[in-house]
Amino acid sequence: MTALAERPGDTRTRGRVVAQRFFVVRELGIGLALLLLIVITALVNPRFLAAQSIKDLLLGSTILAILATGQAIVVITRNVDLSVGSVLGLSAFAVGTLFVSAPGTPIPVALAMGVALGAACGAVNGLLIAAARVPALVVTLGTLYVFRGIDYTWATGKQVNAADMPAGFLRMGTKAVLGVPVLALFAVVVLVFAGYYLRAFRSGRELYAIGSEPAAARLNGIPVGRRIFGAFVVSGALAGFAGVLYAARFGTLDANAGINSELNVVAAVVVGGVAIFGGSGSVYGAALGAVLLTTIGAALPVLGVSPFWQRAAVGALILAAIGLDRILMARVGERLRVIGGRSVAENAPDQRKGARRA
Amino acid sequence: MRRSYAWDLGIIVALVLFVAVAGQTIEGVGSPRFWRFVILEVIPVALIALPLALVVITGEIDLSVASVLGLTCTVLGQLWAWGVSSLPLLIVLCLLLGAALGAVNGVFVTVFGLPSLAVTIGTLALYRGLAYVVLGDRAVANYPTTWTRNAIAAIPGLTIPWMILVVVAVAVILGVILHATPIGRGLYAIGNNAEASAFAGISVARTKFWLFVLTGAMSALAGVFWTFRFASARADNATGLELAAVAAVLLGGVSIFGGRGGLVGVLAAVVLLATLRNALQLADVPANALTIVTGSLLIASVVGPNVATQARDALRRRRARTAT
Amino acid sequence: MKRTAAALAALLLLGLSATACAEDGDDSGGGDGGAKSNTIKSGLKIAFLPKQVNNPYFTTAGNGGKTAVGEFKGTYSETGPSEASASSQVSYINTLSQQKTDVIVVSANDKDAICGALNEARQAGTKVVTYDSDTKPDCRDLFVNQATAEGIAKSQIKLISDAVGPDGGKIAILSATANATNQNAWIEMMKTELAKPEYSKLQLVATVYGDDDDQKSFTEAQGLLAKYPDLKGIISPTTVGVAAAGRYLSGSAYKGKVALTGLGTPNQMRAFVKDGTCKAFALWNPADLGYLAAYAAGALASGMISGKEGEKFTAGKLGEFTVGKNGEVLLGEPFTFNASNIDQFNF
């Protein structure tokens, strides 16, 4: 890590602590909101906490959580990946076709294929964005179209039916271990891996630096292009993985799998505290955001609210989350300025910062 | 600031070439009915893409346009279902609605200072969601046949729908404003350097605000047309159309970074995309697969110039190095 | 340079619009006046336009249509949207009309929304036959119906009542899209049927829409049980819906406790009938429906019939059919599938 002298009152540490505290608060806030929602809904209808109901909730949020994890990694670098829904659809149909034509395929092979396909799509995105230096919004908008079009060309008129898929694979979609669905366990494993990587590896932390201030990151020797390429490959791979799980859960697949899901993914990420302007947030927050959104969808009918309000609620939440983040950023910026100002007065000679290679 | 018309010309040439080639190889391309269907598809996209181009020129973006269209459709349908039967009143109410929705975007961007990408992704979801709240799963499709027929009626003596004249009028007005007035030059200035423009006396916030209002109102107008063209108001009307509009704007030569581009190219790009889609559909390419074409063109239109610039810079650097 | 370029651009645009300026004089479609022939012309272009293309029910119907078209030596094609949307169908109708198709055989997603496009196509010379799901009668020439709405409703209510048992209870309907003509007709009849005294113990608590989309139907089935935990039965009169509901129930704690019936295809429902999730369901033979629709289309385009009540025509191996009121041709009665006969079928 950075070779810092951990002196008490050191500007940078205090600044970092302040920033970290604000964003941990942010994630705790989501967790709290989630808890509150569950409690209120359970009070209205205790069956909301029944085993089947919880199982459905976890299953429903798994795919979104995995997509959100990948998206968070991309958004942290101040980019966005709108093509995840199309990659999911492509991967799901590919896996379905694989099983229909070769029913004896072992499940790990299918998983690997889905991930590889997703990674390839992500690589296309990453190449265009990193090499051609084109805004991610435009590129992933285009690849959203292109990948979905490829999916349609392949799948039009055809449909993979649940009846044609191997029973073992479909069972994976509904099986539960100690009440927790297998699919949800997959999501947890992915989440923990991603979270650990972002926190403990230098290349992971560099993603944050790139998102905070790309020019400064480049000047500091961080291989920005390579890191961004990697981020998109990961996002694509996770979307491919989510596609395989989608195939297991729903069984019947057509060209429309995953369509329009990019919006929900971005919502989950933004609501989960990953700032859309990059540089902060965590995959845990994004996953929490995914669970929160799914729970809202499940809770609304129970609370007697027309389920049609769910989309509007998603939109309102995005706006609220962005607004909240802007306020938080402003506050953090102010605090850092105050600390910096005070430290200038106290430690004038020490202001030259030392080496950063770690 | 001199504007280069090279890109606009390029799009128009591409269009003419494509029609010439396709007219020979695909049966039906270039016939009067073909143009009728192309123009019917062009009208709502153009109504949205033209003001959207102005927004992008100032360095912002508005992804909520299709949701404004959808919400307008459902409100129109619901008002009709409730018994409001005066067509002018319906249209005025819809335009006001669109303007209000655009104003919400404008407030979030200019007053609260939030990035337009994130805000309009949020309003994209919010407005589409409200459309579902208004009509749910239903559709309102029992409009008087005079309305639905008049909406797509042709100019007497031709086969082209008369609504295209409205589009042309909007294009001319916006084009004149953009290219021949100080306001227009101000838009380019804002896109190039908002801070400098503010110092130069341009009211950046107010300009951007009114652009969002304009985009909202035009999307609402497109929504009215859409409802009568398809004779159906549904909450999922035009889902995904914002991507077609953005693709047309970028393909039309407007830079995503702001500060460059013009309306001739955008209009030509809208026509080109619609012509491509309809022609390929006549050749029995499945309509949904045509998204590959739109997506590729979108990517190419942005990657192309970037790669060209990078190559040119690399070449220049090498020449400079060898020269010393 | 600037001004010349602008002028050139304007000229090119004007030139383009000039080519489009010609009035659309042209083609009267095949003349139908005059003497009635009694064989189907050869070389007819028949295009099937189902509600959505990636739906096994419509694929089977299309295959039946293809067989029929092959028998009278026409050209068969099938096209359509991937999602059950009326606006998408409009775009395909326009394309088919430009391609000078002789007859469009369409299953409508909405009874009003595609009327404009259909009428424009008819004016340009194409005939229109609806099958499975009708439009307003004045936008098509014939409607080939699989079974009467009453027949379908009676069969569905009887099946759910048998499955739920004599104690009755709450039931719900999982339909397709909210505007599908056939769905709404059947649901209306089901409500009429439920009002009868012998079904007084059954209570319809909700109708939800799965849009003939597998994932949405699955989620709606889930939602029904979350909202009404004491639900006793689900009717899903759409092949996508009943398959999705079956899959959800069979993988959940409600298997066997909540009855399921509907209109399904044997191949999709086989597993659920065998594991007890669904005791019995109904359908007709979609291949026969497509076959009949194609023959009706051929007869129409050849001038053998024109859609008036009382006209007769022969539909290949299915025999002779008579046109009923409002241009409707009826295929037959719904057929019930259950564990004892499901293995005999493969579609």
Side-chain angles (χ1 to χ4, degrees), chain B residues 58 186 188-205 208:
Chain B
T58 60
Y188 285 111
I190 297 175
N192 275 307
N193 193 333
E195 253 184 64
S197 326
F199 280 123
I202 302 176
S203 169
V204 174
K208 288 188 181 180

Side-chain angles (χ1 to χ4, degrees), chain C residues 43 46 56 58 63-64 156 169 174 176 216 249:
Chain C
I46 315 269
F58 284 112
N63 288 336
Q156 296 283 280
L174 169 59
K216 182 152 194 255
L249 288 176

